[in-house]
């Protein structure tokens, strides 16, 4: 077993503390990754605070992991020692069900082993995430990372990148499409960059007036402050696609009214309480409300390669791991520009 240092919380009310635990020894198909950077996703906060229920402790969060391969098993083909590698929101799945075979391992019909706050395929061994010094993952669940991009800025692609890329592709977002993005946080700012790079005309819907210039710099054409719903009236029936990346309860009906006939609103944000849906928001224009959960390994690799080709990474604030509490507070206040990333050099 491999002694590993991480940061964990012991309950929903506790602060982060250093936590020593063991990773499995490197198996024939495993790679050992020395973690260099790990992004802070709002899902980490929801789970640490048990806002979705069912949390298990001690919890070492973190599923936006990048680092360097320091050891490979004898049967590993994709990686060699010294390569850059990434790990996202899951580290294993059954590999045999219809969804796994369709490259949708995140939706495994048997068991997706989430990177933390989950269990391995034995349904017993707890998983610990990327707020830690190293991780052992099967090469099939490990991503190749291009050395072309700044590694710290790549980390958020492993969750915020794929979670926004997948629905944009699924709904054929591109030239001639009007796209709305609700919530300019970690996910939202990636959605703006990606949708703009695909040629769409992007409008950001935000509660934060102060983010207008950033939204335009990131690629948005329009910026709408949503605190006054009157600002939305003139935009009725004009969007093809809206991505909702809001982490807290909010009114989705006022955004549904902005979709044209058959347009879709995709929820990626996961507020802790159910949202209210008025039938009137969907019946008239046959609007679609759906959701999306991260993406499979094949598509995550496609997204990473797309970002390397198009020079797309996250805008980040790099922090030492000792600053987790402050980073969580600022994220909850919508005050992150636009993703906190932990510099794992600070983990001593
Ligand atoms: P984040 O960085 O905190 O961004 C959330 C944004 O939502 C904020 O920046 C803010 O944008 C807006 N917002 C926050 N509170 C609001 C409120 N009360 N009313 C209206 N808008 C509000 O979070 P994130 O990491 O991007 O994650 C966003 C959500 O997606 C979280 O719920 C997370 O768990 C979920 N998530 C889902 C998946 C998936 O696979 N489906 C993957 C990752 C994350 P403005 O300042 O612009 O208003
Ligand atoms: Zn995430
Ligand atoms: Zn499966």
């Amino acid at each position: 077993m491999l002694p590993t240092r991480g940061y964990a919380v012991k309950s929903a009310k506790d602060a982060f503390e250093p936590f020593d635990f063991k990773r499995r020894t490197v198996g024939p198909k495993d790679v050992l990754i020395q973690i260099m950077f790990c992004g802070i996703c709002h899902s980490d906060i929801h789970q640490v605070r048990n806002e979705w229920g069912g949390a298990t402790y001690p919890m070492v969060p973190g599923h936006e992991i990048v680092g360097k391969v320091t050891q490979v098993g004898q049967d590993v083909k994709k990686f060699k020692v010294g390569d850059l590698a990434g790990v996202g929101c899951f580290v294993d799945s059954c590999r045999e069900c219809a969804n796994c075979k369709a490259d949708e391992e995140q939706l495994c019909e048997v068991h997706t082993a989430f990177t933390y706050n989950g269990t391995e395929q034995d349904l017993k061994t707890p998983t610990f995430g990327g707020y830690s010094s190293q991780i052992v993952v099967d090469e099939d669940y490990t991503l190749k990372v291009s050395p072309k991009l700044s590694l710290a800025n790549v980390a958020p692609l492993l969750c915020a990148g794929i979670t926004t890329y997948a629905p944009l592709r699924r709904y054929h977002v591109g030239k001639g499409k009007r796209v709305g993005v609700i919530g300019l946080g970690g996910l939202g700012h990636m959605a703006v960059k990606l949708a703009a790079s695909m040629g769409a005309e992007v409008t950001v819907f935000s509660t934060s007036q102060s983010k207008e210039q950033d939204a335009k710099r990131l690629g948005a054409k329009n910026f709408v402050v949503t605190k006054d719903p009157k600002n939305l009236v003139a935009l009725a029936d004009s969007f093809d696609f809206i991505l909702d990346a809001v982490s807290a309860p909010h009114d989705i009906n006022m955004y549904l009214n902005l979709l044209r006939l058959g347009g879709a609103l995709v929820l990626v944000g996961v507020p802790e309480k159910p949202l209210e849906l008025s039938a009137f928001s969907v019946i008239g224009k046959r609007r679609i409300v759906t959701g999306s959960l991260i993406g499979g390994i094949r598509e995550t690799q496609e997204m990473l390669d797309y970002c390397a080709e198009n020079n797309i990474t996250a805008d980040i604030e790099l922090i030492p791991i000792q600053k987790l509490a402050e980073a969580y507070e600022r994220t909850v206040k919508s005050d992150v520009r636009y993703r906190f990333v932990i510099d794992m050099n600070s983990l001593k």
Side-chain angles (χ1 to χ4, degrees):
M1 301 290 269
L2 308 173
T4 300
R5 156 99 6 150
Y7 264 57
V9 290
K10 297 216 168 72
S11 84
K13 299 258 169 329
D14 281 334
F16 276 99
E17 278 178 20
F19 172 64
D20 292 309
F21 62 105
K22 292 199 166 70
R23 300 283 190 192
R24 68 171 182 262
T25 44
V26 176
K29 286 267 287 162
D30 285 338
V31 294
L32 173 63
I33 301 164
Q34 180 208 333
I35 300 173
M36 295 164 72
F37 301 101
C38 183
I40 297 178
C41 178
H42 205 119
S43 301
D44 299 350
I45 304 175
H46 289 306
Q47 291 178 87
V48 160
R49 299 181 176 177
N50 198 17
E51 290 171 354
W52 296 338
T56 54
Y57 303 94
M59 191 190 298
V60 178
H63 59 206
E64 293 185 334
I65 300 167
V66 288
K68 209 168 249 175
V69 174
T70 51
Q71 197 184 326
V72 296
Q74 63 209 30
D75 297 337
V76 167
K77 299 213 167 54
K78 244 166 65 176
F79 295 93
K80 56 180 191 324
V81 169
D83 283 353
L84 297 178
V87 179
C89 300
F90 56 94
V91 289
D92 210 349
S93 68
C94 89
R95 301 160 192 247
E96 279 160 14
C97 72
N99 293 354
C100 282
K101 288 208 162 124
D103 294 315
E104 303 265 25
E105 303 89 349
Q106 79 283 17
L107 308 176
C108 175
E109 293 168 10
V110 181
H111 179 65
T112 304
F114 288 102
T115 304
Y116 68 88
N117 192 26
T119 57
E120 297 284 0
Q121 291 309 102
D122 63 6
L123 307 182
K124 285 198 293 261
T125 311
T127 52
F128 294 117
Y131 297 7
S132 61
S133 57
Q134 56 185 2
I135 189 165
V136 179
V137 184
D138 186 302
E139 68 164 336
D140 293 344
Y141 293 79
T142 306
L143 287 308
K144 304 274 286 181
V145 170
S146 163
K148 261 173 48 187
L149 302 172
S150 151
L151 196 59
N153 300 68
V154 167
L157 301 181
L158 275 302
C159 175
I162 181 60
T163 301
T164 51
Y165 181 88
L168 292 171
R169 285 293 191 220
R170 196 173 307 130
Y171 284 87
H172 308 293
V173 161
K175 235 183 163 45
K177 293 280 169 89
R178 288 193 75 185
V179 168
V181 174
I182 317 173
L184 197 64
L187 266 57
H189 98 290
M190 286 313 307
V192 173
K193 289 192 186 202
L194 289 166
S197 79
M198 293 168 188
E201 183 193 304
V202 181
T203 298
V204 168
F205 297 99
S206 175
T207 59
S208 309
Q209 179 107 50
S210 62
K211 293 181 182 174
E212 174 159 10
Q213 284 200 336
D214 284 343
K216 303 254 166 91
R217 175 178 54 78
L218 296 166
K221 188 152 179 241
N222 311 301
F223 184 87
V224 179
V225 180
T226 53
K227 286 230 156 110
D228 184 356
K230 280 207 288 294
N231 293 342
L232 278 71
V233 174
L235 301 171
D237 306 331
S238 64
F239 284 84
D240 300 286
F241 173 92
I242 296 179
L243 192 79
D244 184 334
V246 174
S247 52
H250 59 290
D251 177 16
I252 57 167
N253 299 289
M254 69 180 188
Y255 300 107
L256 283 167
N257 286 323
L258 307 187
L259 288 171
R260 57 165 60 124
L261 179 65
L265 180 141
V266 178
L267 291 167
V268 286
V270 191
E272 57 187 286
K273 294 204 182 77
L275 301 168
E276 214 166 83
L277 175 68
S278 160
F280 288 110
S281 304
V282 288
I283 58 171
K285 298 275 174 359
R286 297 199 296 270
R287 297 171 176 122
I288 297 161
V289 183
T290 181
S292 193
L293 180 72
I294 43 179
I297 293 294
R298 187 197 53 71
E299 197 171 30
T300 305
Q301 190 63 61
E302 177 188 306
M303 175 276 308
L304 286 169
D305 297 346
Y306 176 86
C307 288
E309 240 163 71
N310 293 281
N311 207 19
I312 296 171
T313 58
D315 287 20
I316 67 162
E317 298 190 46
L318 198 61
I319 58 155
I321 199 159
Q322 294 78 12
K323 292 261 165 83
L324 281 171
E326 198 180 314
Y328 273 36
E329 283 319 312
R330 281 191 47 209
T331 301
V332 169
K333 284 191 206 136
S334 307
D335 179 32
V336 49
R337 303 279 195 279
Y338 279 85
R339 194 57 133 191
F340 284 111
V341 171
I342 307 162
D343 182 350
M344 224 46 82
N345 256 325
S346 61
L347 181 68
K348 289 284 177 287

